[in-house]
Amino acid sequence: MQLKDNFGRPINYLRLAVTDRCNLRCFYCMPEEGIHFLPKEQLLTYEEMIRLADIFSSMGVDKIRITGGEPFVRKNLIDFLDTLAKNKQINKLSITTNGILTRPYLSHLKSIGIENINLSLDSLNHDNFKKITRRDEFTNVIGTFHQMISDGFKVKINAVIMDGINDHEIIDLAKLAIEYPVSVRFIEEMPFNGSAVKQTSIRWNHIRILEKLKSAFPDIAKLPTSANSTSENYIFDQAKGNVGIIAAFSRTFCGSCDRIRVTSTGEMRTCLYGHNVLDIKKMMRNEVSDESIKASIIEVVQKRAKDGFEAEKKRGINNPIGESMSVIGG
Ligand code: SAM
Ligand code: SF4
């Protein structure tokens, strides 16, 4: 079967947060202190995640991205990935990481068929990286980046652009695509930073980011947008890679959204901006059968919001966005 939503959109992509914990404190994602990481019992176990992947893959989900929090801070992640990679219905297994603990595992990831890695890198300046992430890990992360390139991974760099913080680095970050065969993606900042302060606008939206890129690379040309892509991608002269812009706050790509999320607490979200719609962990722990879980998944997917604005509205005034991206899974 192919899971489809109430607008006929096929759902074939699952983003699975394996933990809410992290060894960085990127300020756009979580506060510096006072974070209450979830007790382990509240997280899905790996066995539950394997079952969950089996359920979704039998419903037509063939792409899974492992995210978090920082996936590599969860113990025995590699054993879990080994098992997950054996699911033949999953065509593409990928991972998003901050690159701190990742390097020793790269060759193993390759060996089990993980080729696509998204690496978060918001700055190419040691001090600025430290200011953004509140940890002194720049040298380590750059080392991971170089290793990923020399190992031949398909690397996407994720950079959240923040006014007065790293907007002056847009061009330097884009130049990575001249030197290396990477896709450098500039992401609009979203309000998922662990505080319930409503963010009504952003200074660096996709239009302004593109203007900035055009000012430095006048020959920049748009690449055809692949179906379901969240980024608009561009190439410019001499580039070995490309650059992309993700209008995550402006939400221009919702119309073709093929993704769902399962948070680190085992709850399903049919839109990043919406609320959790199904507690799969609870169902599993109450010994609900796979067939009944599938029926519930179909039911919530049939009530999916048209786009991120509608989803946000549906949360209601008593449930404003206040969660950290590390719990939902970015
Ligand atoms: N820890 C891993 C990492 O940073 O790559 C994976 C989890 S992180 C939540 C996944 C992605 O979400 C990162 O690329 C991060 O930049 C992005 N992200 C987190 N908070 C965000 C926010 N408020 N706005 C936009 N992107 C955000
Ligand atoms: Fe950690 Fe990733 Fe959030 Fe940064 S963006 S604090 S690395 S989960």
Side-chain angles (χ1 to χ4, degrees):
M1 75 164 286
Q2 177 59 64
L3 186 62
K4 280 194 181 155
D5 73 7
N6 39 334
F7 298 94
R9 291 174 291 199
I11 305 293
N12 61 358
Y13 183 10
L14 167 67
R15 296 173 78 100
L16 176 61
V18 296
T19 181
D20 62 324
R21 287 169 198 251
C22 190
N23 42 9
L24 291 185
R25 293 286 181 276
C26 306
F27 78 80
Y28 51 76
C29 179
M30 57 170 84
E32 184 165 18
E33 281 169 10
I35 314 157
H36 298 293
F37 289 123
L38 295 160
K40 207 170 160 236
E41 318 79 73
Q42 284 190 32
L43 301 180
L44 285 175
T45 64
Y46 284 138
E47 291 72 25
E48 287 166 338
M49 286 186 231
I50 293 295
R51 180 175 169 202
L52 184 119
D54 287 347
I55 290 174
F56 278 111
S57 63
S58 74
M59 301 175 85
V61 169
D62 64 352
K63 288 189 285 179
I64 298 187
R65 175 169 294 278
I66 301 302
T67 181
E70 172 51 34
F72 286 91
V73 302
R74 182 135 183 199
K75 272 194 207 137
N76 303 325
L77 178 79
I78 293 295
D79 294 343
F80 163 66
L81 294 177
D82 284 350
T83 312
L84 190 59
K86 289 189 184 120
N87 182 329
K88 294 287 167 244
Q89 287 170 299
I90 303 168
N91 292 325
K92 195 168 158 190
L93 183 58
S94 55
I95 197 154
T96 301
T97 176
N98 63 25
I100 294 179
L101 300 171
T102 321
R103 214 180 326 169
Y105 303 107
L106 288 175
S107 57
H108 189 82
L109 297 182
K110 242 327 172 38
S111 74
I112 59 169
I114 297 183
E115 297 198 332
N116 296 271
I117 305 186
N118 290 5
L119 178 72
S120 295
L121 184 62
D122 304 303
S123 172
L124 292 174
N125 174 281
H126 184 280
D127 292 340
N128 209 25
F129 179 95
K130 192 172 164 188
K131 189 167 137 193
I132 294 167
T133 63
R134 301 174 175 128
R135 296 290 184 270
D136 195 357
E137 292 284 355
F138 178 73
T139 312
N140 182 6
V141 174
I142 283 292
T144 303
F145 168 68
H146 286 290
Q147 189 65 49
M148 281 163 39
I149 297 292
S150 67
D151 285 355
F153 283 95
K154 290 177 193 151
V155 182
K156 288 181 181 165
I157 297 288
N158 285 347
V160 179
I161 299 307
M162 297 155 285
D163 193 47
I165 307 287
N166 65 351
D167 56 299
H168 63 286
E169 293 200 55
I170 291 176
I171 303 307
D172 283 347
L173 283 160
K175 283 180 181 167
L176 283 177
I178 296 181
E179 212 173 325
Y180 305 101
V182 293
S183 180
V184 181
R185 290 127 43 95
F186 300 100
I187 307 177
E188 289 180 353
E189 185 181 0
M190 294 182 281
F192 299 95
N193 53 21
S195 79
V197 179
K198 194 165 165 57
Q199 182 183 340
T200 48
S201 66
I202 43 166
R203 292 183 66 95
W204 283 92
N205 66 12
H206 61 116
I207 298 165
R208 195 161 168 214
I209 295 171
L210 182 57
E211 275 166 11
K212 180 79 183 175
L213 290 168
K214 278 184 181 162
S215 72
F217 310 108
D219 64 331
I220 193 166
K222 193 165 179 304
L223 289 164
T225 310
S226 53
N228 321 112
S229 173
T230 52
S231 62
E232 296 283 357
N233 300 318
Y234 301 85
I235 43 162
F236 43 86
D237 227 10
Q238 324 132 341
K240 289 189 184 130
N242 58 61
V243 291
I245 303 175
I246 303 184
F249 182 80
S250 308
R251 288 161 255 186
T252 51
F253 47 71
C254 296
S256 59
C257 182
D258 62 347
R259 64 193 59 198
I260 45 170
R261 289 178 156 80
V262 171
T263 70
S264 56
T265 53
E267 291 171 272
M268 181 175 157
R269 257 185 202 215
T270 50
C271 172
L272 175 58
Y273 280 86
H275 53 284
N276 297 333
V277 290
L278 185 67
D279 191 342
I280 301 182
K281 180 186 70 196
K282 190 169 164 195
M283 295 180 91
M284 286 183 171
R285 293 188 185 174
N286 285 340
E287 295 181 16
V288 174
S289 70
D290 285 6
E291 289 316 309
S292 299
I293 294 176
K294 283 184 203 178
S296 298
I297 291 171
I298 292 171
E299 200 181 314
V300 293
V301 161
Q302 281 303 313
K303 292 184 190 146
R304 199 166 180 234
K306 172 170 61 68
D307 55 32
F309 294 103
E310 190 184 296
E312 190 177 354
K313 206 165 153 200
K314 274 189 182 176
R315 293 171 70 114
I317 45 167
N318 295 326
N319 185 20
I321 291 170
E323 59 271 45
S324 160
M325 197 71 145
S326 62
V327 179
I328 315 166

